[in-house]
């Protein structure tokens, strides 16, 4: 995933092979770049002078197409986390300080049902955030997993609460 924040272009490791030294030619005297196993970062003084279209194929005015972010190692880690918790919510922020209205809604629903649940703040790790989108085949957050299975996002949780399906699914999970 490539994203521009302020004057930094951050590119996920899926863009390049960490075994090889990536090469980027930037014709901008204000540019600097750094490489690591997890991320490639390019900083520059004047973002408008860097033609990112020359480096990546732009798909919309604010996004770039990139390759898979879900590595085998990340998939294994997510599998372990999801399977070791009866109810886990991948969300923006924390249970005590949600940083998104949708995440807050799901937290309040789970609290109202007195269900023990764990949360993981996906804002702390962009690599995890992008990998989870592929893992679940669900593009948005929050993402609720019950008994090792992806249940859904905010809208699905709210609808399932109204229909009674959420309570039933949680009861089964707590008893298994």
């Amino acid at each position: 995933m490539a994203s521009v924040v302020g004057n930094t272009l951050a590119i996920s490791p899926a863009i390049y092979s960490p075994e090889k030294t990536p090469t980027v030619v930037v014709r901008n005297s204000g540019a600097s770049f750094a490489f690591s196993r997890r991320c490639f970062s390019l900083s520059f003084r004047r973002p408008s002078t860097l033609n990112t279209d020359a480096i990546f194929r732009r798909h919309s005015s604010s996004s770039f197409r990139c390759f898979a972010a879900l590595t085998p190692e990340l998939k294994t880690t997510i599998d372990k986390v999801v399977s070791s918790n009866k109810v886990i919510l991948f969300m923006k922020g924390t249970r005590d300080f949600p940083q998104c209205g949708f995440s807050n809604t799901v937290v309040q629903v789970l609290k109202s049902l007195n269900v023990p649940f764990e949360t993981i703040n996906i804002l702390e790790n962009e690599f995890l955030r992008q990998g989870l989108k592929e893992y679940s085949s669900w593009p948005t957050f929050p993402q609720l997993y019950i008994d090792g299975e992806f249940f859904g996002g905010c809208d699905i949780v709210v609808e399932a609460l109204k229909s009674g399906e959420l309570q039933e699914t949680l009861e089964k999970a707590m008893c298994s």
Side-chain angles (χ1 to χ4, degrees), residues 81-90 95 106-107 109-111 113-120 143-152 157 166-167 169-176:
V81 170
V82 167
S83 64
S84 65
N85 293 282
K86 292 282 186 185
V87 181
I88 187 159
L89 180 65
F90 293 93
R95 171 197 320 243
V106 176
V107 166
V109 166
L110 294 172
K111 283 182 175 180
L113 296 173
N114 294 316
V115 175
F117 65 99
E118 297 298 323
T119 62
I120 293 183
Q143 293 183 7
L144 180 64
Y145 289 78
I146 301 173
D147 210 16
E149 298 291 324
F150 176 65
F151 188 81
V157 169
L166 178 61
Q167 297 87 320
T169 303
L170 288 168
E171 274 184 38
K172 287 179 186 175
M174 295 299 123
C175 293
S176 66

